[in-house]
């Protein structure tokens, strides 16, 4: 690891918890999915989340499966906007760091620098943009760094070894290992290639490595955490949210994931 | 609308030679293009780029493609002087007849290229998105010809508008997947095809239907469509006293027939005009954005949500435009006006009755602009115009019948045409 690198708020927090022996849990919620959506943030934090991924909905979410597509559609249909979400977040201090997940068009709409400044003003620590791959990342990572936003890069099971190393070095906050060749969505089991990805990424330094996409059960989470520092869980939680379960009920599922990780 | 001719420096200068050239490894056309895909698709795009570079540099591949285009697709297509319509408009109108290709549109040029490339790269399945169904039919045709499987993603709304083409694809052995997200048209079919591709990159080639998508698609598809412009250039040289047309016009959805056509004339001083649908005018009404893996002008709201395009023609119902077109607009080498649905219907009728040719609704956009501009400073009396007739209108029969039967609607369309000249 680069000796001069100063870790941001998200990474510092995740490192501290990881180094204390904890498997990291980052649950997801789509911003604007309900009037009380920020209550999910508090409920997740109370249930043992180490950070929270907040989805800023986009009309054409290329890397999302049916559940998050539906959540994005529902949020947008009820008038959710980036500005509205960031205003809500600015007025909602949450006990753990937040990372926004959205698509390139939302980021670039009024310029990436403006977008990152707005994230920082809203108190958001990290940013995940799945359709900005490593080769296209220069412009965004420069302005994110300037704004104090940690740009989390993703790696996939088919990413070449040298590229994995560069991604692990260039990522900030954590490294996001995508476990499947596919969209977000619940799956059973965990492939060997997913575990190999976690192991390889961890071998490239000390930055926290989280595995995500398709992880839904506490058992799967524990399995994934065996070859990474933790997990991101999205679709299984959003399926519950879409079914009308409130913050406290969904937090029960987060608590079960926490327990699975702690036991595993 | 102010239309400017490219200055004299656009001809024969270093700059004009580099326009419509190889965009290199970044796939950039000025500030547009690039490769905005998830990491999981990056290796597939890289393999495709190197596969295409190798094939395109291989005389055997090019000869094989040329042979297939000739023997199976019916190339070269003629350039037809539209004599009666020319006389009515007071200019020389030439039509590049892509409607006469096998499957009835220019889409076959690109698809045969990509299918042969996919086969060369060891892929066993073609994935395609389709709007009007022409690209889907062409993909299904090429897949059948080369013994590949074919899966076509099509918006549910388009499946209703283009029932005949759904039937044709199925007849050719393709599986048509109905896309029920968003506007249920071409944009959603593209998004769904990309999602599908991620799950099967090893065995499947995503056969993108226009000059859009992540690098190398915009460049590769333009190269596969270049045959349109190169043939037309030679044919114009034989037909026109001054050897080349004053103005070259093509319709633009994603922009593949226009890109192929323009590629044949970009180094001349011909004016290049790409005509968009008024409800899908990405250049004049869009803003810079990222959609379907590339950066370009995109119809979107102030928050960055993609807007649905609205056009009478399913093939132009697309909120983006190929990145190279956005760049050609930026540097002033091509211009991108738009025409209304009403003007398009009039253009179909006009060509049908003067020349005995029924154009596709998409292609009629190019003609509609010519009809509007003829005799104005934009298209002065006596000038020569090449229009690429990208496809034939048979697929639109049911829609045209419905439009004409609906008296109230067609009345409204006529008033529109008179009321909103652009
Ligand atoms: C006949 C015809 N022309 C034009 C188009 C638009 O495509 P492009 O702009 O890529 O030429 C289509 C698309 O379906 C078409 O079927």
């Amino acid at each position: 690891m680069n000796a001069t690198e100063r870790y941001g708020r998200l990474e510092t927090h995740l490192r501290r918890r990881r180094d204390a022996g904890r498997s990291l849990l980052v649950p997801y919620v789509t911003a604007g999915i309900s009037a009380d959506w920020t209550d999910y943030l508090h409920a997740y934090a109370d249930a043992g989340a180490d950070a929270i991924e907040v989805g800023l909905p986009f009309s054409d979410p290329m890397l999302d499966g049916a559940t998050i597509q539906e959540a994005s559609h529902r949020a947008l249909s009820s008038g959710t906007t980036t500005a509205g979400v960031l205003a809500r977040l600015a007025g909602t201090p949450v006990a753990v760091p937040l990372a926004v997940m959205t698509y390139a068009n939302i980021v670039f709409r009024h310029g990436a620098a403006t977008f990152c400044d707005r994230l920082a003003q809203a108190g958001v620590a990290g940013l995940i943009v799945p359709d900005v791959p490593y080769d296209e990342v220069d412009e965004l990572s420069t302005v994110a760094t300037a704004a104090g936003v940690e740009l989390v890069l993703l790696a996939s099971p088919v990413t070449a070894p040298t590229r994995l190393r560069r991604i692990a070095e260039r990522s900030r906050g954590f490294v996001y290992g995508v476990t499947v060749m596919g969209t977000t969505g619940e799956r059973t089991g965990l492939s060997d290639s997913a575990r190999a990805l976690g192991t390889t990424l961890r071998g490239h330094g000390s930055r926290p490595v989280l595995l995500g996409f398709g992880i839904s059960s506490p058992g799967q989470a524990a399995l994934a955490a065996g070859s990474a520092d933790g997990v991101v869980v999205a679709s299984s939680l959003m399926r519950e949210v879409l079914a009308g379960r409130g913050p406290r009920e969904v937090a029960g599922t987060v608590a079960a994931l926490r327990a699975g990780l702690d036991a595993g | 609308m102010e239309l400017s001719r490219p200055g004299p420096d656009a001809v024969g200068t270093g700059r004009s030679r580099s326009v419509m050239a190889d965009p290199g490894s970044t796939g950039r056309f000025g500030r547009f293009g690039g490769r905005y895909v998830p990491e999981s698709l990056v290796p597939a795009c890289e393999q495709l780029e190197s596969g295409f570079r190798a094939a395109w540099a291989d005389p055997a591949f090019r000869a094989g493609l040329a042979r297939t285009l000739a023997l199976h697709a019916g190339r070269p297509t003629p350039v037809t002087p539209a004599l009666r319509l020319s006389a009515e408009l007071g200019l020389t109108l030439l039509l590049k007849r892509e409607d006469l290709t096998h499957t009835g549109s220019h889409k076959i040029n690109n698809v045969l290229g990509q299918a042969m490339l996919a086969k060369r790269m060891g892929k066993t399945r073609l994935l395609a998105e389709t709007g009007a169904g022409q690209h889907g039919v062409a993909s299904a045709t090429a897949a059948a010809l080369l013994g590949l499987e074919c899966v076509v993603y099509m918006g549910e709304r388009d499946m209703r508008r283009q029932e005949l083409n759904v039937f044709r694809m199925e007849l050719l052995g393709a599986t048509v997947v109905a896309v029920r997200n968003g506007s249920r048209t071409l944009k959603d079919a593209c998004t769904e095809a990309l999602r599908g591709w991620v799950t099967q990159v090893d065995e499947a080639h995503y056969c993108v239907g226009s000059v859009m998508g992540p690098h190398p698609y915009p460049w590769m598809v333009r190269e596969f469509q270049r045959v349109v412009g190169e043939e037309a250039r030679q044919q114009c040289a034989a037909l026109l006293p001054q050897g080349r047309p004053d103005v070259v016009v093509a319709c633009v959805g994603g922009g593949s027939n226009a890109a192929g056509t323009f590629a044949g004339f970009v180094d001349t001083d011909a004016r290049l005009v790409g005509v968009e649908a008024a409800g899908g005018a990405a250049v004049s009404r869009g803003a810079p954005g990222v959609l379907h893996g590339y950066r370009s002008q995109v119809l979107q709201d102030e928050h960055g949500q993609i807007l649905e395009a609205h056009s009478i023609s399913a093939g132009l119902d697309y909120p983006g435009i190929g990145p190279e077109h956005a760049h050609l607009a930026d540097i002033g080498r091509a211009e991108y006006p738009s025409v209304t649905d009403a003007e398009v219907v009039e253009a179909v009728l006009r060509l049908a009755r003067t020349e005995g040719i029924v154009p596709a609704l998409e292609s009629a956009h190019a003609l509609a602009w010519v009809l509007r501009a003829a005799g104005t400073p934009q298209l002065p009396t006596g000038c020569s115009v090449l229009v690429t007739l990208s496809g034939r209108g048979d697929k639109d029969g049911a829609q045209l019948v419905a439009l004409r039967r609906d008296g109230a609607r067609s009345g409204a369309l006529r008033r529109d045409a008179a009321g909103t000249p652009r």
Side-chain angles (χ1 to χ4, degrees), chain B residues 66-108:
Chain B
R67 200 161 47 241
T68 309
L69 285 171
L71 299 181
H72 192 78
R75 300 213 72 87
T77 60
V79 163
T80 304
L83 296 176
R84 293 186 57 212
L85 189 52
S86 292
E88 287 183 15
L89 297 175
L91 40 73
T92 301
L93 176 61
L94 302 177
L95 304 174
K96 177 60 176 166
R97 301 291 305 279
E98 294 304 295
D99 59 316
L100 293 179
T101 57
H102 179 48
T103 73
S105 85
H106 69 293
K107 299 282 180 189
I108 194 74

Side-chain angles (χ1 to χ4, degrees), chain B residues 310-343:
Chain B
H310 290 288
S311 157
I312 193 175
S313 65
L316 304 190
D317 251 1
Y318 183 68
I321 182 170
E324 190 163 38
H325 287 295
H327 177 60
L328 291 173
D330 253 11
I331 62 173
R333 181 61 190 94
E335 54 208 85
Y336 297 87
S338 61
V339 295
T340 64
D341 286 353
E343 290 176 290

Side-chain angles (χ1 to χ4, degrees), chain B residues 100-184:
Chain B
L100 293 179
T101 57
H102 179 48
T103 73
S105 85
H106 69 293
K107 299 282 180 189
I108 194 74
N109 306 324
N110 166 45
V111 156
L112 284 173
Q114 286 198 49
M116 288 176 68
L117 178 60
K119 187 139 184 171
R120 183 180 153 115
M121 292 174 65
K123 308 287 177 181
T124 56
R125 186 179 309 130
L126 292 185
L127 308 180
E129 84 294 337
T130 197
Q134 292 303 94
H135 175 60
V137 167
S139 299
T141 299
L145 180 69
L146 295 176
L148 301 166
E149 286 172 57
C150 185
V151 177
V152 181
Y153 297 87
M154 189 169 189
E156 196 179 46
R157 178 151 170 261
D158 289 340
M159 287 178 74
R160 281 201 305 275
R161 286 199 282 188
Q162 306 285 346
E163 234 181 306
L164 178 61
N165 272 345
V166 175
F167 173 73
R168 288 168 79 196
M169 288 183 265
E170 287 173 349
L171 193 69
L172 289 158
T175 305
V176 182
V177 177
V179 177
R180 301 199 170 83
N181 312 320
S183 58
R184 302 173 185 216

Side-chain angles (χ1 to χ4, degrees), chain A residues 240-259:
Chain A
E240 294 189 30
V241 175
L242 286 171
R245 287 167 63 92
R248 287 185 49 198
E249 293 165 290
V250 183
T253 306
V254 174
L257 289 161
R258 176 79 265 158

Side-chain angles (χ1 to χ4, degrees), chain B residues 104-107 130-135 209-211 251-258 314-316 360 362-363 390-392 395:
Chain B
S105 85
H106 69 293
K107 299 282 180 189
T130 197
Q134 292 303 94
H135 175 60
S210 191
V211 284
C251 69
V252 174
S256 66
N257 86 89
L316 304 190
E362 290 80 12
S363 324
S390 57
R392 62 180 184 227
K395 68 182 174 56

Side-chain angles (χ1 to χ4, degrees), chain A residues 34-58:
Chain A
S34 61
D36 64 350
W37 67 271
T38 48
D39 291 348
Y40 287 95
L41 304 177
H42 300 302
Y44 285 3
D46 291 346
D50 297 298
I52 299 169
E53 186 178 327
V54 177
L56 259 187
F58 176 50

